Amino acid sequence: MTCSCLSEAKGMTKNMNKISEVTRQDIIDIIREGFTVILDEEEYDDKSDEYVTERTIKMPYYGRLDEIDFLSRVYNLKELPSHDSRYKNVLDDISCHLRWDDYEEECWFFQDERFKLQQKDGDEPLLRFICEMVHPAVRREKSPWKQYLDKFNELLRVDGYELYPAHHISGRDIYKAREYSVPDKPLLPDNLFSERYKDLIDYGHGEAVDNISNNIDYRAKKHICRIMQNFREPIQYQPNRYHNWTEKTDALDVAINRLNEFMDTPVIDLKSAMFSLSSEEEIFANYFTPFIFDVIEFQYDELSEGEKCGFQEEINASLQKDNVSFRLIDRGLIEQLPDHEVLTSELISMTEQIKEPGLRELFDIAVEKHMQPSSQSHKDAVEKIWGVLERLKTYYTGLDKKKSVERIINDMAGGQEDFVKLFDTEFKALTDIGNSFRIRHHETDRTDITDIRYYDYFFNRCLSLIALAIQYLE
């Protein structure tokens, strides 16, 4: 199965050609030869016996696979023709050449027209290729894949693309390409975790309860708080602009103060640790989980660029080790990972089978909305996935809507009457849900969805039917 990395949710099509000849060649050179990075401080180089301020980074494009296994993820090698009459397809052809190591240059396929990586072939093949390079099943986690990702984005953004974490597998990011626009910086504190998920938090009249992160245990929170303690990067500030003296604080203290100011009350106070037998991290871990996540986001915002990456990596490693279904994303926000979702990377790559561009586009938008860390995005995702269902019903344009649905159902059922009834019932049930509940925001005469958790149920139920139907489309 080939990998679909190009997000058409932003209106991109396969024949787009925005990547300039210069950028394309820069990307090819990086894949072939690596690239030079400037070091934050001098390092000793054994080869030159000198201290250096820069070094070359290089990793094989195929990661922990071999060349054929990697190329098989991007192309159907058995369908591509051979240039050698002795072989029936390109798989047999290149297997022989690689076995005897008789290609004249590394990454020979960039010049091979069969692989469509030249300027005339448009953007999608190259974007698909580099997305696959940083796929979790391909990349070596200890390799400089993240630096390659950053370098690719540095080049692509000039021409209007970026690679972004579209979804996850085993807690690791899978990247796709989308059109790039300069992102807005998260507007803290208005965009804090506890604000984004406020529909799931009940402050009540007693102890606050949240229905999104309340199952995170004390031990896991203590691990997180220890990392926050370790990243107390010193900060100097001038408390009075009319005087010259400066005072010292740190990123964690500033983050806690920012949260308390936003809440208009001290919701976190670590000063009591001075008079307690408990450690500061033990006291910290007893606080309300959404407030701890708020502090993480503020702390990330306060850290210098050099500290942000290490902080993010250690927080995420701790969350993953403790099986906590959240992560700190590159924008400094805590995002919930899907738990027991219908949505998988395999399902998303199935959308390449959809020949109708409008349906693919709408599906990608629904998925992208569902993966975003906000209640409103999950509501929007349900509206979009119902739009996918309605558009799916008219997939066969030569038939009217009813006949088109009948054909889809018959293909899914394989002519078995019991399954025809089953799938017909499910199509009608989902149609009734769409007509009865306020899935489309503008329809005010429908039953309101009062619990935000219902939206994920609706999304996954509708997606299940769509995911199955996609596999039978012609």
Side-chain angles (χ1 to χ4, degrees):
M1 183 181 297
T2 57
C3 169
S4 173
C5 76
L6 186 57
S7 171
E8 297 188 17
K10 305 298 182 182
M12 293 187 287
T13 59
K14 290 188 176 182
N15 60 356
M16 288 187 71
N17 205 345
K18 293 169 58 177
I19 299 175
S20 72
E21 183 179 4
V22 174
T23 297
R24 183 178 296 269
Q25 192 57 54
D26 285 344
I27 290 173
I28 291 173
D29 288 345
I30 286 169
I31 295 172
R32 278 180 173 152
E33 304 166 9
F35 59 98
T36 300
V37 295
I38 306 299
L39 303 174
D40 293 332
E41 55 185 41
E42 288 186 336
E43 289 183 0
Y44 181 73
D45 179 55
D46 291 329
K47 292 183 179 179
S48 63
D49 195 25
E50 295 178 347
Y51 282 91
V52 295
T53 58
E54 60 181 41
R55 60 185 170 90
T56 299
I57 288 177
K58 185 179 180 181
M59 72 174 190
Y61 65 88
Y62 46 83
R64 50 183 167 178
L65 308 179
D66 59 32
E67 291 104 316
I68 291 179
D69 286 341
F70 175 84
L71 291 173
S72 295
R73 292 177 64 88
V74 188
Y75 305 95
N76 189 335
L77 299 180
K78 291 183 179 180
E79 289 188 357
L80 295 179
S82 171
H83 286 169
D84 190 323
S85 59
R86 294 174 296 172
Y87 307 108
K88 60 183 179 181
N89 56 46
V90 75
L91 176 61
D92 296 338
D93 189 346
I94 65 176
S95 295
C96 180
H97 284 292
L98 288 171
R99 188 181 309 120
W100 294 103
D101 194 23
D102 58 358
Y103 281 116
E104 294 182 1
E105 60 180 37
E106 191 176 357
C107 301
W108 47 271
F109 42 79
F110 284 116
Q111 305 305 321
D112 191 319
E113 292 188 353
R114 293 172 294 183
F115 293 89
K116 298 188 179 301
L117 293 170
Q118 299 175 21
Q119 189 69 31
K120 64 181 181 179
D121 298 313
D123 300 333
E124 187 186 35
L126 181 62
L127 291 169
R128 185 191 309 131
F129 188 97
I130 60 180
C131 282
E132 203 63 22
M133 282 181 62
V134 294
H135 191 285
V138 174
R139 70 196 189 212
R140 292 185 183 275
E141 292 300 329
K142 293 184 178 180
S143 74
W145 70 268
K146 187 68 164 61
Q147 289 164 291
Y148 265 72
L149 174 69
D150 292 342
K151 189 65 176 178
F152 287 147
N153 273 333
E154 177 188 324
L155 295 168
L156 289 171
R157 283 169 179 159
V158 177
D159 290 342
Y161 290 121
E162 70 172 349
L163 308 186
Y164 75 106
H167 44 281
H168 324 285
I169 181 172
S170 301
R172 300 178 186 181
D173 290 327
I174 295 177
Y175 290 87
K176 293 178 72 176
R178 65 182 175 192
E179 288 189 290
Y180 173 72
S181 57
V182 178
D184 295 328
K185 186 178 179 181
L187 298 176
L188 298 176
D190 293 336
N191 202 28
L192 275 174
F193 178 88
S194 58
E195 284 294 293
R196 296 195 306 278
Y197 292 106
K198 61 185 178 183
D199 292 340
L200 293 173
I201 298 175
D202 180 15
Y203 293 102
H205 301 293
E207 185 176 353
V209 175
D210 73 283
N211 295 305
I212 182 169
S213 58
N214 203 45
N215 61 344
I216 300 177
D217 62 27
Y218 171 77
R219 180 181 58 86
K221 290 202 291 183
K222 197 167 79 166
H223 293 163
I224 297 169
C225 293
R226 184 179 303 139
I227 295 168
M228 297 166 74
Q229 293 282 349
N230 291 339
F231 279 82
R232 300 190 79 137
E233 184 179 27
I235 295 174
Q236 289 190 346
Y237 70 100
Q238 192 172 341
N240 190 321
R241 64 186 178 130
Y242 299 109
H243 299 89
N244 292 327
W245 78 78
T246 59
E247 293 188 7
K248 293 182 180 179
T249 182
D250 61 61
L252 178 57
D253 279 344
V254 172
I256 292 172
N257 289 336
R258 287 179 66 181
L259 176 61
N260 290 337
E261 289 174 6
F262 176 67
M263 293 294 179
D264 291 326
T265 183
V267 294
I268 291 182
D269 181 8
L270 299 185
K271 293 185 177 65
S272 59
M274 298 168 54
F275 311 102
S276 172
L277 296 177
S278 300
S279 68
E280 195 169 87
E281 68 192 40
E282 289 172 333
I283 292 174
F284 199 177
N286 278 307
Y287 280 104
F288 192 40
T289 305
F291 292 159
I292 294 175
F293 283 0
D294 286 343
V295 174
I296 289 175
E297 294 182 352
F298 272 131
Q299 187 171 0
Y300 181 92
D301 192 49
E302 291 294 334
L303 289 171
S304 65
E305 291 303 317
E307 291 286 284
K308 279 179 169 38
C309 183
F311 181 68
Q312 179 187 16
E313 288 178 354
E314 291 197 26
I315 289 288
N316 286 339
S318 178
L319 293 172
Q320 185 173 351
K321 182 178 180 181
D322 290 325
N323 295 314
V324 176
S325 60
F326 292 86
R327 63 162 193 164
L328 179 61
I329 64 174
D330 289 345
R331 295 176 64 231
L333 303 179
I334 297 284
E335 176 188 79
Q336 185 182 27
L337 292 172
D339 190 21
H340 306 299
E341 288 265 0
V342 174
L343 191 61
T344 64
S345 58
E346 290 77 17
L347 187 153
I348 291 173
S349 35
M350 275 181 204
T351 60
E352 205 174 59
Q353 301 174 29
I354 304 174
K355 296 178 182 179
E356 203 268 290
L359 183 59
R360 272 202 316 272
E361 178 179 340
L362 198 56
F363 184 90
D364 280 342
I365 293 173
V367 168
E368 187 174 348
K369 290 285 186 184
H370 186 68
M371 298 302 294
Q372 291 176 6
S374 76
S375 301
Q376 185 58 51
S377 293
H378 281 227
K379 294 178 183 179
D380 294 340
V382 172
E383 180 174 353
K384 297 301 181 186
I385 203 69
W386 246 262
V388 174
L389 179 66
E390 290 305 310
R391 187 146 189 159
L392 176 66
K393 294 176 183 177
T394 62
Y395 184 79
Y396 294 108
T397 55
L399 304 173
D400 62 31
K401 187 174 184 178
K402 182 179 179 181
K403 293 293 185 183
S404 178
V405 173
E406 288 177 357
R407 177 174 173 181
I408 292 170
I409 290 172
N410 285 327
D411 289 344
M412 292 169 65
Q416 300 179 70
E417 188 59 34
D418 287 343
F419 285 99
V420 169
K421 291 179 180 178
L422 172 68
F423 297 137
D424 182 59
T425 299
E426 186 66 1
F427 266 100
K428 288 177 179 176
L430 290 170
T431 300
D432 289 343
I433 290 172
N435 291 333
S436 301
F437 295 93
R438 195 179 172 188
I439 285 172
R440 300 170 185 86
H441 303 333
H442 64 277
E443 295 177 339
T444 57
D445 58 340
R446 304 288 192 266
T447 302
D448 278 333
I449 303 172
T450 55
D451 190 322
I452 189 66
R453 290 168 287 185
Y454 297 165
Y455 282 99
D456 285 347
Y457 162 74
F458 285 142
F459 182 89
N460 283 308
R461 179 170 176 179
C462 190
L463 181 66
S464 294
L465 183 64
I466 292 170
L468 183 63
I470 285 173
Q471 301 175 59
Y472 295 89
L473 298 177
E474 292 185 1

